[in-house]
Amino acid sequence: MYLYNSLTRRKEKFEPLYSGSVGMYVCGPTVYGDPHLGHARPAVVFDVLYRYLTHVGYRVRYVRNITDVGHLEGDGDEGEDKIQKKARLEQLEPMEVAQYYTRRYHHFLEKLNVLPPSIEPYATGHIPEQIEMIEKILESGFAYESNGSIYFDVRKFAQSYPYGQLSGRDVDELMAQTRELEGTHEKKDPLDFALWKKAPANHLMKWRSPWSVGFPGWHLECSVMSTKYLGETFDIHGGGMDLMFPHHECEIAQSLAASGKNPVRYWIHNNLITIDGQKMSKSLNNFITLEEIFEGKHPKLSQPYDPMVIRFFILQAHYRSTLDFSDEALQAADKAFYRFSKAFNSIDQLIIGEPYSDLNLNDLVEKCEEALSDDLNTPVVISYLFEIVHFINHALHNHLPISESQKIHLQNIKATYVEKILGLKLPQISSQTIDIDKLMSILIETRKKLRLAKHFELADYIRDQLQQNGIMLKDFKDQTTWEKL
């Protein structure tokens, strides 16, 4: 298996630290608002990686954190804690906010059929361990105290270790691009970041430490919790590309300063989601929550979309490519997933006999394995699965037989690649759905007879009513076809 390592910027053969087992850590959400598309993509991507590693025989300890403290506005070292701000605006306790949105996050990930991680630690549950790591970093000489706050000394660290190795940034270039911000006078250098912040009097989320009553910096929690549950060095660390700098860069620095060891062997980053070609942003009114997508309650959406359509849509693009989200793209994914589901749910209806085709399903299985082993290439897997869709549909619509072994292969492919690895729950096809082909044939034939009899108004009425109910008729010279809108 090969994975693209963001640290080395190349595909590398995956060789875990310990034979037969994998330690994987993925950055979870800051729980101060409803989960949105930006949460959905990494959740689905790393869920498939988790599923595939398990499929090929690894025992995986998958850790995904919950950030419920320390994430300040602007992702810097100043401003109000995002959860506390939400609590103040809604007149709630901060932990009420965190608990509410954590439940919401779990609820929507369950709809997307994302498996729960092995361990889901909370930042607030690991304050003693965070204080302990700060003490180690202070002892190593890579941090300093200033007015009750503790800051990481980036320049001093860069003299001993390659700070910026993950994001490819140079300390001197960063310094040239950094301006002095209000409130950063406590730092020796604007590049330094907080490990512990002394809390102002009105700050609600605070704990006692050797330096002050305060709270930990945002970057610290991941270094602490990954180390606690996976060790000082582990196999895979994942997250969105937007976290590469400064968050993941700071994680590397903290862990190296505390233990002298590189914490992660393979850094895996999914690319971002754009909406109609633009970065997702509340100010552009293109910030869409999962609830809005599932219920169709957003001005950019023409209809609600099933969670499995969203999962299918995400997996149609490679995780390292930008994914552009639009209503048109979702409509196309909806139609494709309908055809995909209908075909795989029709396997039991296929006739057994002398096979009409010598399609080598073993060969397609091998190709699916090769694609998944090649940096989790899910769009290529889906393209191979659509070859199987074509095979099933051709046999079904033309009443052609397949062999018993072909049928068993199809059932295994559905169970293994569609359901187990890609995690797609296919909707059950009801008898009403199965009969729609016959119903449409009757309506098309009736309309044809009306047109021959020059009852054009009634024929057009049938066409218009079908279109209003999501079915488009297409008239050609020799036939009329239909498709679901």
Side-chain angles (χ1 to χ4, degrees):
M1 180 179 182
Y2 287 82
L3 292 172
Y4 183 87
N5 192 343
S6 298
L7 189 64
T8 59
R9 296 171 182 79
R10 66 173 183 266
K11 285 184 188 178
E12 296 179 0
K13 186 176 181 180
F14 178 64
E15 296 177 340
L17 192 62
Y18 301 105
S19 178
S21 64
V22 175
M24 183 168 78
Y25 186 94
V26 175
C27 290
T30 303
V31 283
Y32 70 99
D34 258 351
H36 52 73
L37 282 173
H39 295 120
R41 192 175 196 188
V44 170
V45 165
F46 291 103
D47 180 60
V48 173
L49 180 57
Y50 177 35
R51 289 168 178 267
Y52 185 64
L53 289 169
T54 304
H55 165 73
V56 297
Y58 290 112
R59 180 177 177 270
V60 184
R61 177 175 287 176
Y62 176 17
V63 182
R64 185 184 65 212
N65 72 301
I66 295 290
T67 297
D68 57 352
V69 68
H71 198 161
L72 305 184
E73 293 178 277
D75 297 342
D77 291 331
E78 301 302 322
E80 190 173 6
D81 185 285
K82 294 180 178 181
I83 294 173
Q84 177 167 305
K85 181 179 180 180
K86 187 77 170 180
R88 176 174 55 78
L89 293 173
E90 298 189 7
Q91 296 184 324
L92 298 170
E93 283 292 323
M95 286 297 101
E96 284 185 275
V97 172
Q99 183 70 9
Y100 175 77
Y101 287 112
T102 299
R103 287 199 302 267
R104 298 278 287 173
Y105 177 69
H106 290 154
H107 171 70
F108 288 108
L109 260 57
E110 186 177 341
K111 283 182 174 290
L112 287 167
N113 199 28
V114 171
L115 298 174
S118 313
I119 303 172
E120 191 174 55
Y122 290 64
T124 52
H126 295 77
I127 301 298
E129 293 94 335
Q130 294 184 70
I131 292 172
E132 184 181 344
M133 181 171 275
I134 294 171
E135 290 174 332
K136 289 181 180 179
I137 298 172
L138 282 166
E139 288 172 11
S140 72
F142 294 121
Y144 58 90
E145 182 179 355
S146 179
N147 297 324
S149 294
I150 307 295
Y151 292 98
F152 191 91
D153 194 327
V154 172
R155 281 196 177 276
K156 188 172 182 181
F157 175 82
Q159 293 171 5
S160 302
Y161 297 101
Y163 182 80
Q165 59 180 325
L166 180 63
S167 57
R169 304 190 186 206
D170 179 81
V171 170
D172 291 326
E173 290 178 4
L174 286 170
M175 185 60 194
Q177 298 166 8
T178 304
R179 61 188 176 88
E180 189 75 31
L181 299 175
E182 183 182 351
T184 61
H185 57 276
E186 291 182 344
K187 301 180 183 181
K188 291 180 180 179
D189 192 307
L191 288 179
D192 297 346
F193 57 89
L195 299 174
W196 185 266
K197 288 286 289 181
K198 181 179 180 180
N202 63 346
H203 199 91
L204 299 176
M205 305 172 77
K206 52 193 175 185
W207 293 261
R208 294 186 181 278
S209 79
W211 317 287
S212 65
V213 174
F215 55 94
W218 169 41
H219 309 304
L220 188 65
E221 65 182 70
C222 288
S223 292
V224 167
M225 293 188 286
S226 61
T227 298
K228 180 178 176 66
Y229 297 108
L230 300 174
E232 291 179 335
T233 300
F234 57 95
D235 297 302
I236 296 172
H237 193 314
M241 195 170 287
D242 55 324
L243 295 177
M244 189 180 292
F245 186 88
H247 185 53
H248 290 162
E249 203 72 77
C250 293
E251 279 191 58
I252 293 174
Q254 292 165 161
S255 297
L256 270 168
S259 69
K261 299 177 183 178
N262 269 308
V264 179
R265 303 179 73 230
Y266 301 87
W267 285 91
I268 313 296
H269 291 92
N270 65 274
N271 213 323
L272 305 181
I273 291 180
T274 58
I275 299 182
D276 295 327
Q278 294 179 306
K279 182 181 177 180
M280 188 169 64
S281 168
K282 287 184 178 179
S283 62
L284 295 173
N285 196 32
N286 63 0
F287 187 89
I288 304 180
T289 68
L290 294 178
E291 182 175 47
E292 289 172 327
I293 295 168
F294 299 160
E295 296 185 2
K297 293 180 179 178
H298 192 279
K300 285 187 175 289
L301 300 176
S302 62
Q303 65 182 70
Y305 291 97
D306 188 273
M308 285 301 98
V309 171
I310 303 305
R311 187 178 178 105
F312 183 77
F313 170 71
I314 289 170
L315 295 177
Q316 280 184 305
H318 192 273
Y319 78 88
R320 285 193 288 112
S321 65
T322 303
L323 179 60
D324 191 52
F325 183 98
S326 67
D327 190 57
E328 292 75 16
L330 282 190
Q331 287 182 22
D334 191 28
K335 293 176 185 178
F337 186 63
Y338 174 81
R339 295 195 302 273
F340 188 88
S341 302
K342 187 175 181 183
F344 276 103
N345 278 333
S346 300
I347 293 172
D348 289 341
Q349 299 174 36
L350 296 172
I351 303 168
I352 302 300
E354 187 66 28
Y356 86 92
S357 168
D358 59 356
L359 178 67
N360 189 335
L361 292 172
N362 273 328
D363 183 52
L364 283 175
V365 167
E366 289 178 8
K367 288 179 177 178
C368 286
E369 287 288 340
E370 288 173 6
L372 288 165
S373 294
D374 183 18
D375 198 29
L376 212 67
N377 203 331
T378 57
V380 170
V381 175
I382 289 173
S383 71
Y384 290 136
L385 293 175
F386 265 106
E387 289 186 32
I388 295 172
V389 167
H390 178 75
F391 170 75
I392 294 171
N393 285 339
H394 189 69
L396 195 67
H397 296 157
N398 294 286
H399 306 288
L400 298 173
I402 65 169
S403 69
E404 182 68 37
S405 64
Q406 284 178 329
K407 185 174 183 178
I408 292 171
H409 264 85
L410 291 174
Q411 290 169 332
N412 288 338
I413 289 168
K414 176 186 175 184
T416 301
Y417 294 94
V418 176
E419 297 173 339
K420 179 184 174 184
I421 298 175
L422 296 186
L424 293 167
K425 287 183 176 180
L426 303 184
Q428 292 299 312
I429 298 177
S430 66
S431 58
Q432 182 179 5
T433 306
I434 294 170
D435 291 338
I436 193 170
D437 290 327
K438 293 180 181 178
L439 177 62
M440 289 306 303
S441 295
I442 294 169
L443 287 171
I444 288 170
E445 184 62 27
T446 300
R447 181 169 171 268
K448 179 181 177 181
K449 289 179 179 179
L450 288 170
R451 294 176 73 184
L452 288 172
K454 297 186 178 181
H455 296 311
F456 298 114
E457 185 176 346
L458 191 53
D460 289 345
Y461 175 79
I462 293 174
R463 178 200 62 202
D464 295 343
Q465 286 298 305
L466 286 171
Q467 186 166 337
Q468 288 179 24
N469 286 277
I471 295 175
M472 170 71 77
L473 295 182
K474 292 185 177 180
D475 293 316
F476 298 96
K477 184 177 180 181
D478 300 321
Q479 64 174 336
T480 297
T481 63
W482 67 277
E483 66 178 38
K484 184 183 175 185
L485 292 174

